[in-house]
Amino acid sequence: MADRGEKTSEKGFLARTASITSKRAKRAGEKVKQKLGKANETKDVTFDEFVTNFNKQQAAAQRLQKDFKNYNACIKAMIAASLEFGEAIKEVYEPDWASRDVVFKLLDMLHMHWTELQEKLQDEVLGPLTAYQSQFPDIKARINKHGRKLVDYDRLRHNFEALNSRGRNADQKKLTQSQEEFSEAKSVYTKLHAELYEELPALYDSRIAFYVSSFQSIFNAEALFHREAAKIKTQMNDLLDGLVVEASSGTHTTRRPFQLSSANPVSDSDDAEQLSNSGQLEPNQENVVTSNENQMKQEESEVDNDDQNQTNAEADNETPNPIHQPDADNSPAKDHEENDQEAKQPSPTMPVPYVKGEGKHEPVASPSPTPPSAISTSIQESTSPQAPDEPPAGLDIPFLYRVRATHKYVAEDDDELSFEKGEIIYVLEFDDPDEQDEGWLLGIMETSGLKGVFPANFTQIIKT
């Protein structure tokens, strides 16, 4: 049973492929005949002018949207730069300077006006511009379909005229069938042609009102911002003028007169404190000071004795032995360094000051590295694919079902989709069922979000 089902599906796929290929071959043959002058081509100069205006309008809208997005991104960058510059001014502006709080408030107000400007441009310009741009792809697809239906109309008209020209010798069955096909193609083409004949000029004429509304929103928002920013900056300049006056009067000067009487000048307050504390020592403190003075005198006498011994030793050895070199460990320089180190070491009777936390240093816990499993989990969460039952981002219309491409397909017309084997497409319902060609579906690519028609026999329905 499974083999029979696969064979039936394969036969259906081949039949649909043959039908699509045959239809395209007939259209291509008709175009070749028209170019060679062997077949008449239906021409509508006015409609061709409408299509030219549409293409020009779409190109202008695309450029306007692209450049305005760049402009809006630059304003966002300016907001961030203005905020950082304001923080730098706050850090530089010292607390004792004039009108410090007022300057900070003005800087915050300036940043608020930057934010309001960006929000207005986002809501009043970028949003309508995106909606204005979104209507072009659907109309472009209908124009492409109009071109295909025109070729079918010309081809069937030529076939009917050729059979009808035979008169009585014509096969009545083929003539009747050709007439029915020609009538159907003419009906489809005429309806689509009439719709576009009304929509294209109306869309092109609407560009002026849209451009005026968008540009006025930009200019009004910027004019308001620059007017309020100019007021704030004028107030800040006035406050800074007051700071200049204070600096000129010497309010914030740090200069002090140089004292020539002493190399290490001591302030009057330090002298008074020293005099007041000199006669108020407790008995224990007096004993410690006396003991320290005796210890220092004893160390000085020891250093003098060592210097005297060193001088005598040098006098005894005025004639050095060229063979015997003095030991580096017993050199006078090292003895002098050891004496200096002993002199620097605190005396046993001198109290050593207590250092808070000495001997109680605790090791600082180094941050534990992130395990690889956590990293992989976070990466999987940040790059998790879209839920299978959810439409792609931006698709706010219901879809019928999903299909998976069983074969690679390359688009041959502008309104068709190109996809690789395995890609997923969301199938949509045609606005007009008469517009759907046999064996073709309308859908949106899950990966790219492109919308167009595609052959159904190149896909397979995904069962949920």
Side-chain angles (χ1 to χ4, degrees), residues 105-128:
K105 183 179 179 180
L106 293 176
L107 289 173
D108 294 337
M109 291 176 61
L110 182 61
H111 177 69
M112 180 187 67
H113 287 304
W114 272 111
T115 305
E116 290 179 352
L117 172 63
Q118 194 275 328
E119 291 177 352
K120 285 185 178 180
L121 295 179
Q122 181 79 22
D123 298 338
E124 300 178 6
V125 181
L126 187 58

PDB file of all heavy atoms in Angstrom, residues 105-128:
ATOM      1  N   LYS A 105      20.138  70.345  35.929  1.00  0.00           N
ATOM      2  CA  LYS A 105      18.742  70.247  35.501  1.00  0.00           C
ATOM      3  C   LYS A 105      18.588  70.586  34.026  1.00  0.00           C
ATOM      4  O   LYS A 105      17.838  69.934  33.282  1.00  0.00           O
ATOM      5  CB  LYS A 105      17.883  71.178  36.360  1.00  0.00           C
ATOM      6  CG  LYS A 105      16.404  71.105  36.050  1.00  0.00           C
ATOM      7  CD  LYS A 105      15.606  72.039  36.964  1.00  0.00           C
ATOM      8  CE  LYS A 105      14.119  71.973  36.626  1.00  0.00           C
ATOM      9  NZ  LYS A 105      13.327  72.879  37.517  1.00  0.00           N
ATOM     10  N   LEU A 106      19.304  71.595  33.554  1.00  0.00           N
ATOM     11  CA  LEU A 106      19.247  71.973  32.144  1.00  0.00           C
ATOM     12  C   LEU A 106      19.814  70.877  31.247  1.00  0.00           C
ATOM     13  O   LEU A 106      19.303  70.628  30.148  1.00  0.00           O
ATOM     14  CB  LEU A 106      19.999  73.285  31.923  1.00  0.00           C
ATOM     15  CG  LEU A 106      19.381  74.532  32.565  1.00  0.00           C
ATOM     16  CD1 LEU A 106      20.278  75.744  32.353  1.00  0.00           C
ATOM     17  CD2 LEU A 106      17.990  74.805  31.996  1.00  0.00           C
ATOM     18  N   LEU A 107      20.859  70.201  31.696  1.00  0.00           N
ATOM     19  CA  LEU A 107      21.416  69.103  30.916  1.00  0.00           C
ATOM     20  C   LEU A 107      20.413  67.951  30.787  1.00  0.00           C
ATOM     21  O   LEU A 107      20.277  67.347  29.716  1.00  0.00           O
ATOM     22  CB  LEU A 107      22.712  68.606  31.568  1.00  0.00           C
ATOM     23  CG  LEU A 107      23.920  69.542  31.462  1.00  0.00           C
ATOM     24  CD1 LEU A 107      25.076  68.996  32.293  1.00  0.00           C
ATOM     25  CD2 LEU A 107      24.344  69.726  30.015  1.00  0.00           C
ATOM     26  N   ASP A 108      19.711  67.655  31.866  1.00  0.00           N
ATOM     27  CA  ASP A 108      18.681  66.606  31.806  1.00  0.00           C
ATOM     28  C   ASP A 108      17.534  66.999  30.865  1.00  0.00           C
ATOM     29  O   ASP A 108      16.998  66.156  30.125  1.00  0.00           O
ATOM     30  CB  ASP A 108      18.138  66.330  33.211  1.00  0.00           C
ATOM     31  CG  ASP A 108      19.195  65.731  34.127  1.00  0.00           C
ATOM     32  OD1 ASP A 108      20.167  65.141  33.610  1.00  0.00           O
ATOM     33  OD2 ASP A 108      19.052  65.858  35.360  1.00  0.00           O
ATOM     34  N   MET A 109      17.156  68.258  30.884  1.00  0.00           N
ATOM     35  CA  MET A 109      16.093  68.719  29.981  1.00  0.00           C
ATOM     36  C   MET A 109      16.537  68.617  28.522  1.00  0.00           C
ATOM     37  O   MET A 109      15.739  68.239  27.644  1.00  0.00           O
ATOM     38  CB  MET A 109      15.717  70.164  30.317  1.00  0.00           C
ATOM     39  CG  MET A 109      15.014  70.333  31.650  1.00  0.00           C
ATOM     40  SD  MET A 109      14.706  72.075  32.048  1.00  0.00           S
ATOM     41  CE  MET A 109      13.656  72.534  30.667  1.00  0.00           C
ATOM     42  N   LEU A 110      17.793  68.922  28.237  1.00  0.00           N
ATOM     43  CA  LEU A 110      18.292  68.817  26.866  1.00  0.00           C
ATOM     44  C   LEU A 110      18.260  67.370  26.375  1.00  0.00           C
ATOM     45  O   LEU A 110      17.871  67.094  25.227  1.00  0.00           O
ATOM     46  CB  LEU A 110      19.715  69.370  26.801  1.00  0.00           C
ATOM     47  CG  LEU A 110      20.379  69.389  25.420  1.00  0.00           C
ATOM     48  CD1 LEU A 110      19.573  70.262  24.464  1.00  0.00           C
ATOM     49  CD2 LEU A 110      21.821  69.882  25.523  1.00  0.00           C
ATOM     50  N   HIS A 111      18.648  66.445  27.242  1.00  0.00           N
ATOM     51  CA  HIS A 111      18.583  65.027  26.872  1.00  0.00           C
ATOM     52  C   HIS A 111      17.134  64.583  26.641  1.00  0.00           C
ATOM     53  O   HIS A 111      16.858  63.781  25.726  1.00  0.00           O
ATOM     54  CB  HIS A 111      19.222  64.178  27.966  1.00  0.00           C
ATOM     55  CG  HIS A 111      19.141  62.709  27.702  1.00  0.00           C
ATOM     56  ND1 HIS A 111      19.843  62.076  26.702  1.00  0.00           N
ATOM     57  CD2 HIS A 111      18.413  61.730  28.300  1.00  0.00           C
ATOM     58  CE1 HIS A 111      19.560  60.794  26.685  1.00  0.00           C
ATOM     59  NE2 HIS A 111      18.695  60.559  27.649  1.00  0.00           N
ATOM     60  N   MET A 112      16.209  65.120  27.420  1.00  0.00           N
ATOM     61  CA  MET A 112      14.798  64.772  27.243  1.00  0.00           C
ATOM     62  C   MET A 112      14.282  65.252  25.881  1.00  0.00           C
ATOM     63  O   MET A 112      13.534  64.543  25.196  1.00  0.00           O
ATOM     64  CB  MET A 112      13.975  65.397  28.369  1.00  0.00           C
ATOM     65  CG  MET A 112      12.486  65.098  28.284  1.00  0.00           C
ATOM     66  SD  MET A 112      11.546  66.008  29.519  1.00  0.00           S
ATOM     67  CE  MET A 112      11.765  67.695  28.913  1.00  0.00           C
ATOM     68  N   HIS A 113      14.701  66.431  25.447  1.00  0.00           N
ATOM     69  CA  HIS A 113      14.280  66.938  24.133  1.00  0.00           C
ATOM     70  C   HIS A 113      14.868  66.100  23.000  1.00  0.00           C
ATOM     71  O   HIS A 113      14.202  65.891  21.975  1.00  0.00           O
ATOM     72  CB  HIS A 113      14.701  68.399  23.987  1.00  0.00           C
ATOM     73  CG  HIS A 113      13.890  69.347  24.813  1.00  0.00           C
ATOM     74  ND1 HIS A 113      12.521  69.429  24.725  1.00  0.00           N
ATOM     75  CD2 HIS A 113      14.250  70.253  25.767  1.00  0.00           C
ATOM     76  CE1 HIS A 113      12.068  70.358  25.561  1.00  0.00           C
ATOM     77  NE2 HIS A 113      13.101  70.860  26.219  1.00  0.00           N
ATOM     78  N   TRP A 114      16.076  65.604  23.160  1.00  0.00           N
ATOM     79  CA  TRP A 114      16.648  64.693  22.155  1.00  0.00           C
ATOM     80  C   TRP A 114      15.788  63.433  22.028  1.00  0.00           C
ATOM     81  O   TRP A 114      15.492  62.962  20.922  1.00  0.00           O
ATOM     82  CB  TRP A 114      18.079  64.320  22.542  1.00  0.00           C
ATOM     83  CG  TRP A 114      19.143  65.246  22.037  1.00  0.00           C
ATOM     84  CD1 TRP A 114      19.918  66.101  22.762  1.00  0.00           C
ATOM     85  CD2 TRP A 114      19.561  65.399  20.674  1.00  0.00           C
ATOM     86  NE1 TRP A 114      20.783  66.783  21.958  1.00  0.00           N
ATOM     87  CE2 TRP A 114      20.594  66.363  20.657  1.00  0.00           C
ATOM     88  CE3 TRP A 114      19.171  64.829  19.471  1.00  0.00           C
ATOM     89  CZ2 TRP A 114      21.239  66.752  19.494  1.00  0.00           C
ATOM     90  CZ3 TRP A 114      19.820  65.221  18.304  1.00  0.00           C
ATOM     91  CH2 TRP A 114      20.827  66.168  18.317  1.00  0.00           C
ATOM     92  N   THR A 115      15.406  62.889  23.163  1.00  0.00           N
ATOM     93  CA  THR A 115      14.590  61.667  23.141  1.00  0.00           C
ATOM     94  C   THR A 115      13.227  61.913  22.511  1.00  0.00           C
ATOM     95  O   THR A 115      12.717  61.081  21.739  1.00  0.00           O
ATOM     96  CB  THR A 115      14.423  61.141  24.578  1.00  0.00           C
ATOM     97  OG1 THR A 115      15.716  60.967  25.176  1.00  0.00           O
ATOM     98  CG2 THR A 115      13.693  59.805  24.577  1.00  0.00           C
ATOM     99  N   GLU A 116      12.612  63.048  22.822  1.00  0.00           N
ATOM    100  CA  GLU A 116      11.311  63.366  22.230  1.00  0.00           C
ATOM    101  C   GLU A 116      11.410  63.529  20.713  1.00  0.00           C
ATOM    102  O   GLU A 116      10.507  63.110  19.974  1.00  0.00           O
ATOM    103  CB  GLU A 116      10.766  64.647  22.857  1.00  0.00           C
ATOM    104  CG  GLU A 116      10.343  64.481  24.310  1.00  0.00           C
ATOM    105  CD  GLU A 116       9.830  65.771  24.898  1.00  0.00           C
ATOM    106  OE1 GLU A 116       9.941  66.827  24.215  1.00  0.00           O
ATOM    107  OE2 GLU A 116       9.333  65.758  26.053  1.00  0.00           O
ATOM    108  N   LEU A 117      12.493  64.103  20.231  1.00  0.00           N
ATOM    109  CA  LEU A 117      12.682  64.251  18.784  1.00  0.00           C
ATOM    110  C   LEU A 117      12.741  62.889  18.102  1.00  0.00           C
ATOM    111  O   LEU A 117      12.077  62.665  17.067  1.00  0.00           O
ATOM    112  CB  LEU A 117      13.962  65.036  18.514  1.00  0.00           C
ATOM    113  CG  LEU A 117      14.400  65.120  17.043  1.00  0.00           C
ATOM    114  CD1 LEU A 117      13.353  65.853  16.217  1.00  0.00           C
ATOM    115  CD2 LEU A 117      15.761  65.796  16.923  1.00  0.00           C
ATOM    116  N   GLN A 118      13.500  61.969  18.678  1.00  0.00           N
ATOM    117  CA  GLN A 118      13.618  60.647  18.065  1.00  0.00           C
ATOM    118  C   GLN A 118      12.288  59.900  18.090  1.00  0.00           C
ATOM    119  O   GLN A 118      11.923  59.220  17.122  1.00  0.00           O
ATOM    120  CB  GLN A 118      14.707  59.850  18.801  1.00  0.00           C
ATOM    121  CG  GLN A 118      15.171  58.603  18.084  1.00  0.00           C
ATOM    122  CD  GLN A 118      14.300  57.416  18.365  1.00  0.00           C
ATOM    123  OE1 GLN A 118      13.736  57.304  19.460  1.00  0.00           O
ATOM    124  NE2 GLN A 118      14.172  56.512  17.406  1.00  0.00           N
ATOM    125  N   GLU A 119      11.538  60.025  19.176  1.00  0.00           N
ATOM    126  CA  GLU A 119      10.247  59.345  19.263  1.00  0.00           C
ATOM    127  C   GLU A 119       9.249  59.915  18.249  1.00  0.00           C
ATOM    128  O   GLU A 119       8.475  59.162  17.639  1.00  0.00           O
ATOM    129  CB  GLU A 119       9.694  59.474  20.683  1.00  0.00           C
ATOM    130  CG  GLU A 119      10.492  58.681  21.716  1.00  0.00           C
ATOM    131  CD  GLU A 119       9.966  58.891  23.120  1.00  0.00           C
ATOM    132  OE1 GLU A 119       9.078  59.765  23.297  1.00  0.00           O
ATOM    133  OE2 GLU A 119      10.435  58.203  24.044  1.00  0.00           O
ATOM    134  N   LYS A 120       9.242  61.223  18.057  1.00  0.00           N
ATOM    135  CA  LYS A 120       8.329  61.818  17.075  1.00  0.00           C
ATOM    136  C   LYS A 120       8.658  61.351  15.661  1.00  0.00           C
ATOM    137  O   LYS A 120       7.760  61.032  14.871  1.00  0.00           O
ATOM    138  CB  LYS A 120       8.407  63.343  17.149  1.00  0.00           C
ATOM    139  CG  LYS A 120       7.694  63.938  18.350  1.00  0.00           C
ATOM    140  CD  LYS A 120       7.713  65.457  18.296  1.00  0.00           C
ATOM    141  CE  LYS A 120       6.944  66.052  19.473  1.00  0.00           C
ATOM    142  NZ  LYS A 120       6.962  67.541  19.433  1.00  0.00           N
ATOM    143  N   LEU A 121       9.936  61.328  15.333  1.00  0.00           N
ATOM    144  CA  LEU A 121      10.318  60.868  13.996  1.00  0.00           C
ATOM    145  C   LEU A 121       9.973  59.402  13.801  1.00  0.00           C
ATOM    146  O   LEU A 121       9.601  58.976  12.700  1.00  0.00           O
ATOM    147  CB  LEU A 121      11.817  61.096  13.784  1.00  0.00           C
ATOM    148  CG  LEU A 121      12.277  62.556  13.763  1.00  0.00           C
ATOM    149  CD1 LEU A 121      13.779  62.628  13.581  1.00  0.00           C
ATOM    150  CD2 LEU A 121      11.576  63.333  12.666  1.00  0.00           C
ATOM    151  N   GLN A 122      10.093  58.615  14.864  1.00  0.00           N
ATOM    152  CA  GLN A 122       9.765  57.191  14.768  1.00  0.00           C
ATOM    153  C   GLN A 122       8.270  56.981  14.532  1.00  0.00           C
ATOM    154  O   GLN A 122       7.883  56.152  13.699  1.00  0.00           O
ATOM    155  CB  GLN A 122      10.208  56.483  16.055  1.00  0.00           C
ATOM    156  CG  GLN A 122       9.962  54.994  16.082  1.00  0.00           C
ATOM    157  CD  GLN A 122      10.999  54.217  15.304  1.00  0.00           C
ATOM    158  OE1 GLN A 122      12.099  54.707  15.088  1.00  0.00           O
ATOM    159  NE2 GLN A 122      10.660  53.014  14.889  1.00  0.00           N
ATOM    160  N   ASP A 123       7.447  57.717  15.254  1.00  0.00           N
ATOM    161  CA  ASP A 123       5.996  57.505  15.180  1.00  0.00           C
ATOM    162  C   ASP A 123       5.363  58.205  13.978  1.00  0.00           C
ATOM    163  O   ASP A 123       4.485  57.636  13.319  1.00  0.00           O
ATOM    164  CB  ASP A 123       5.336  57.993  16.472  1.00  0.00           C
ATOM    165  CG  ASP A 123       5.812  57.218  17.687  1.00  0.00           C
ATOM    166  OD1 ASP A 123       6.295  56.078  17.512  1.00  0.00           O
ATOM    167  OD2 ASP A 123       5.733  57.750  18.807  1.00  0.00           O
ATOM    168  N   GLU A 124       5.783  59.437  13.699  1.00  0.00           N
ATOM    169  CA  GLU A 124       5.104  60.240  12.695  1.00  0.00           C
ATOM    170  C   GLU A 124       5.677  60.107  11.292  1.00  0.00           C
ATOM    171  O   GLU A 124       5.022  60.516  10.328  1.00  0.00           O
ATOM    172  CB  GLU A 124       5.131  61.716  13.110  1.00  0.00           C
ATOM    173  CG  GLU A 124       4.448  61.994  14.439  1.00  0.00           C
ATOM    174  CD  GLU A 124       4.536  63.453  14.838  1.00  0.00           C
ATOM    175  OE1 GLU A 124       5.041  64.255  14.016  1.00  0.00           O
ATOM    176  OE2 GLU A 124       4.114  63.793  15.959  1.00  0.00           O
ATOM    177  N   VAL A 125       6.889  59.562  11.171  1.00  0.00           N
ATOM    178  CA  VAL A 125       7.513  59.479   9.845  1.00  0.00           C
ATOM    179  C   VAL A 125       7.849  58.037   9.463  1.00  0.00           C
ATOM    180  O   VAL A 125       7.407  57.543   8.415  1.00  0.00           O
ATOM    181  CB  VAL A 125       8.781  60.350   9.787  1.00  0.00           C
ATOM    182  CG1 VAL A 125       9.405  60.290   8.397  1.00  0.00           C
ATOM    183  CG2 VAL A 125       8.453  61.788  10.148  1.00  0.00           C
ATOM    184  N   LEU A 126       8.617  57.356  10.306  1.00  0.00           N
ATOM    185  CA  LEU A 126       9.082  56.025   9.930  1.00  0.00           C
ATOM    186  C   LEU A 126       7.940  55.022   9.863  1.00  0.00           C
ATOM    187  O   LEU A 126       7.899  54.172   8.959  1.00  0.00           O
ATOM    188  CB  LEU A 126      10.145  55.544  10.926  1.00  0.00           C
ATOM    189  CG  LEU A 126      10.841  54.237  10.556  1.00  0.00           C
ATOM    190  CD1 LEU A 126      11.525  54.357   9.191  1.00  0.00           C
ATOM    191  CD2 LEU A 126      11.858  53.854  11.625  1.00  0.00           C
ATOM    192  N   GLY A 127       6.985  55.103  10.783  1.00  0.00           N
ATOM    193  CA  GLY A 127       5.849  54.187  10.743  1.00  0.00           C
ATOM    194  C   GLY A 127       5.002  54.346   9.489  1.00  0.00           C
ATOM    195  O   GLY A 127       4.757  53.373   8.761  1.00  0.00           O
ATOM    196  N   PRO A 128       4.530  55.573   9.173  1.00  0.00           N
ATOM    197  CA  PRO A 128       3.783  55.742   7.919  1.00  0.00           C
ATOM    198  C   PRO A 128       4.599  55.404   6.672  1.00  0.00           C
ATOM    199  O   PRO A 128       4.050  54.895   5.692  1.00  0.00           O
ATOM    200  CB  PRO A 128       3.407  57.235   7.949  1.00  0.00           C
ATOM    201  CG  PRO A 128       3.374  57.597   9.396  1.00  0.00           C
ATOM    202  CD  PRO A 128       4.467  56.786  10.015  1.00  0.00           C
TER     203      PRO A 128
END
